[in-house]
């Protein structure tokens, strides 16, 4: 099965996984496969997967070792969400200013379509997976940023806060605690 | 839906708990964890790879890792449940028992021997 491990190494290199980490995973896998083979256990049972590229990518991405992985909205860096928020805020302020200057009817407060608005659920304290599922069930898009905070794996802060009226399909930023 | 895919779906929600449970008292390396699951009667054949699950547990700080020599073999990466891993395990097992009880209350009386 050394070809499987070699294919993994190639994939990790392609994905930009640091060499030391790739080597750690490769040697872990080689030792496990050798021992399974001595036990008479098939490599498939150990690997659970026949496609080395998919196997390698799944493992590295679960460990958070893929620097710029395939576009996944949940892993969007929090600064991108923050920047988008700033842009929206600026546009709002400019539009609001224009309306005030023109003496227009102040309809600026009804930016949210009440027909499609939902109330943001309270996900603080939930595990990451549960928070994501809860938001998705409400038609909202989770975006996760990891912060050093305990307990690891649970939501520390959410933006917008619980019970805020938001458009269906909009993004809720989750800060999830992680160790170290 | 085939029997296998339903089993996989149900296991997906608890396999990480099972991995945590086998390294709660004594550290183990990856293959050793598969072996402990098998010895306790849980086959992971056809359930995908445990490595991404281990990676996620490690990233979330639910397992701690260290390298140590194994019996006569090369040095191995050992995993064991961290204090927050123990808390997550306890919480997860409570949730599992609740769900199991609620589902059994509905399905418990169903006769599985059905004449065709």
């Amino acid at each position: 099965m050394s070809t499987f491990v070699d294919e993994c190494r190639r994939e990790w290199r392609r994905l930009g996984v640091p060499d030391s980490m790739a080597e750690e995973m490769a040697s872990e896998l080689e030792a496990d496969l050798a021992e399974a083979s001595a036990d008479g256990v098939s490599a498939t049972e150990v690997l659970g997967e026949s496609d080395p590229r998919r196997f390698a990518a799944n493992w590295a991405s679960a460990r958070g070792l893929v620097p710029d992985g395939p576009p996944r909205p949940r892993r969007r860096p929090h600064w991108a969400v923050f920047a988008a928020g700033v842009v929206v805020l600026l546009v709002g302020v400019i539009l609001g200013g224009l309306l005030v200057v023109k003496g227009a009817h102040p309809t600026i407060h009804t930016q949210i379509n009440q027909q499609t608005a939902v109330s943001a659920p309270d996900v603080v304290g939930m595990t990451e997976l549960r928070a994501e599922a809860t938001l998705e069930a409400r038609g909202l898009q989770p975006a996760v940023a990891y912060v050093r905070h305990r307990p690891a794996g649970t939501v520390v802060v959410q933006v917008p806060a619980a019970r805020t009226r938001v458009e269906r399909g909009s993004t809720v930023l989750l800060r999830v605690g992680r160790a170290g | 839906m085939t029997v296998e895919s339903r089993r996989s779906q149900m296991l997906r929600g608890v396999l990480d708990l099972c991995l945590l449970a086998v390294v709660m008292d004594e550290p183990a390396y990856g293959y050793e964890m598969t072996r402990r699951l098998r010895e306790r009667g849980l086959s992971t054949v056809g359930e995908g790879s445990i490595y991404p699950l281990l990676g996620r547990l490690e990233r979330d700080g639910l397992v701690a890792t260290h390298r140590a020599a194994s019996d006569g073999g090369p040095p191995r990466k050992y995993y064991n449940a961290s204090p927050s891993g123990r808390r997550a395990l306890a919480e997860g097992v409570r949730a599992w028992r609740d769900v199991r009880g609620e589902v059994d209350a509905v399905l418990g009386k169903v006769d599985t021997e059905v004449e065709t």
Side-chain angles (χ1 to χ4, degrees):
Chain A
M1 284 309 284
S2 68
T3 49
F4 190 99
V5 181
D6 289 340
E7 295 253 357
C8 287
R9 281 198 177 93
R10 256 196 296 282
E11 183 64 9
W12 286 324
R13 198 169 306 128
R14 196 182 72 78
L15 292 171
V17 173
D19 285 347
S20 58
M21 290 292 128
E23 213 30 63
E24 181 194 294
M25 291 189 285
S27 60
E28 183 177 1
L29 199 55
E30 270 168 347
D32 280 358
L33 287 172
E35 192 173 335
S37 155
D39 272 4
V41 170
S42 76
T44 324
E45 182 177 343
V46 177
L47 302 168
E49 167 78 76
S50 55
D51 178 355
R53 291 183 60 175
R54 195 164 53 196
F55 174 89
N58 281 342
W59 191 7
S61 113
R63 289 194 60 184
L65 298 176
V66 182
D68 293 300
R72 291 178 57 189
R74 287 173 197 188
R75 300 282 167 259
R76 196 185 300 152
H78 61 279
W79 54 261
V81 177
F82 180 75
V86 168
V87 169
V88 167
L89 199 68
L90 278 175
V91 169
V93 166
I94 291 165
L95 282 178
L98 282 175
L99 285 172
V100 168
V101 167
K102 287 187 165 185
H105 198 268
T107 49
I108 192 76
H109 299 295
T110 56
Q111 278 170 344
I112 290 178
N113 179 353
Q114 292 303 328
Q115 298 291 310
T116 57
V118 292
S119 172
D122 186 0
V123 297
V124 172
M126 286 185 185
T127 63
E128 179 185 347
L129 276 182
R130 206 169 139 225
E132 287 174 350
T134 305
L135 289 172
E136 280 162 3
R138 194 68 67 91
L140 298 170
Q141 178 77 27
V144 175
Y146 295 98
V147 289
R148 280 183 71 153
H149 197 280
R150 289 186 186 273
T154 66
V155 176
V156 185
V157 178
Q158 70 175 90
V159 180
R163 289 172 291 284
T164 307
R165 299 293 290 176
V166 289
E167 282 277 11
R168 185 181 296 278
S170 61
T171 299
V172 175
L173 172 64
L174 306 178
R175 290 188 177 277
V176 174
R178 62 166 298 176
Chain B
M1 188 183 289
T2 64
V3 174
E4 284 73 21
S5 79
R6 188 188 291 284
R7 177 187 153 83
S8 295
Q9 282 186 12
M10 292 191 292
L11 273 179
R12 198 174 308 140
V14 289
L15 208 47
D16 58 338
L17 297 177
C18 296
L19 288 172
L20 275 174
V22 295
V23 291
M24 198 173 65
D25 298 321
E26 203 185 342
Y29 47 85
Y31 175 65
E32 205 176 4
M33 293 168 78
T34 309
R35 190 157 56 198
R36 284 184 189 173
L37 291 175
R38 194 170 57 225
E39 282 166 3
R40 295 182 194 184
L42 179 64
S43 164
T44 54
V45 179
E47 304 308 338
S49 174
I50 66 162
Y51 296 96
L53 286 174
L54 284 177
R56 191 169 179 120
L57 291 173
E58 183 179 5
R59 193 192 66 188
D60 290 346
L62 302 183
V63 290
T65 64
H66 67 277
R67 282 177 76 76
S70 62
D71 297 337
R76 308 298 290 260
K77 182 173 174 178
Y78 281 84
Y79 298 84
N80 77 302
S82 68
S84 58
R86 287 160 187 279
R87 281 194 296 275
L89 176 60
E91 187 190 327
V93 168
R94 271 198 303 275
W96 159 253
R97 287 181 185 158
D98 287 350
V99 169
R100 190 184 57 186
E102 288 162 28
V103 172
D104 274 350
V106 176
L107 300 183
K109 291 194 176 110
V110 175
D111 187 358
T112 55
E113 302 294 324
V114 180
E115 290 171 31
T116 50

